């Protein structure tokens, strides 16, 4: 470990030690979607010292994103999110190599990228693409850290083939989106859930702590309460039919 790394990660090394930090440096993570969830997750993954971060998003920054997507500033409006994100994250940690992919998250692209990463972090805002990511992760044996948000509500679940059922088996029906064409989101909700996603991904990679397995975390920002739903049946019933 270089002297500047010892200094950069000093406080973290006190918690997890050098071996775990080396594991984080050697690892690669896909953040699929760099909106609200992906903003905070990728900022903390880069800050914590992930070696390689792949970002996929087909969107451009809009003024209405800035209320929650804290990777971006007014100067980024109109620019592809992944390029602005890559610039910001490289400035934060030049030791993390950032691979921005400005494209639709098609099954072909996802399969190619996911086969080369250790963990996938969910920054998506639609259930259809989540189910595609889930299926590919299941087939390739990669852990998928899912989070979803709506208003003040958030949920977190880790689909880890061989250890937990996949997303589709735990949530067989897609959640209702409501009436509008966009999902209502309070500013801090994606921040809290995105941060929890980064925390789980870092635990999976470093081997420190215990990932939240076979539980759905449910967050209610209106009351500040967290709740947990136990998954008793650890099989992939839908998938294996
Ligand atoms: Zn399944």
């Amino acid at each position: 470990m270089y002297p500047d790394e010892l200094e950069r990660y000093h406080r973290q090394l006190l918690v997890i030690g050098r071996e775990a930090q080396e594991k984080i440096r050697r690892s690669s993570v896909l953040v699929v979607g760099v909106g609200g969830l992906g903003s905070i997750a990728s900022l903390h993954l880069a800050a914590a010292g992930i070696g390689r971060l792949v970002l996929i998003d087909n969107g451009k920054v809009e003024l209405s994103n800035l209320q929650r997507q804290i990777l971006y500033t007014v100067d980024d409006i109109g620019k592809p999110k992944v390029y602005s994100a890559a610039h910001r994250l490289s400035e934060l940690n030049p030791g993390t190599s950032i691979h921005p992919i400005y494209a639709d998250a098609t099954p072909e692209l996802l399969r190619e990228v996911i086969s080369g990463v250790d963990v996938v972090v969910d920054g998506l805002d639609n259930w259809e693409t989540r189910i595609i990511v889930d299926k590919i992760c299941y087939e390739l044996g990669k852990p998928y850290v899912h989070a979803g948000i709506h208003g003040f509500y958030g949920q977190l679940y880790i689909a880890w083939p061989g250890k937990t059922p996949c997303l589709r088996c735990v949530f067989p029906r897609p959640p209702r989106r409501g009436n509008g064409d966009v999902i209502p989101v309070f500013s801090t909700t994606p921040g809290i859930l995105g941060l929890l996603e980064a925390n789980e991904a870092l635990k999976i990679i470093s081997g420190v702590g215990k990932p939240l397995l076979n539980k759905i975390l449910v967050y209610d920002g209106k009351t500040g309460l967290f709740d947990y739903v136990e998954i008793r049946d650890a099989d992939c019933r839908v998938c294996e039919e």
Side-chain angles (χ1 to χ4, degrees), residues 134 138 165-169 235-240:
D134 179 57
Y138 180 77
C166 78
L167 195 64
R168 186 161 152 255
C169 286
D235 293 329
C236 256
R237 294 202 172 247
V238 179
C239 299
E240 279 155 14

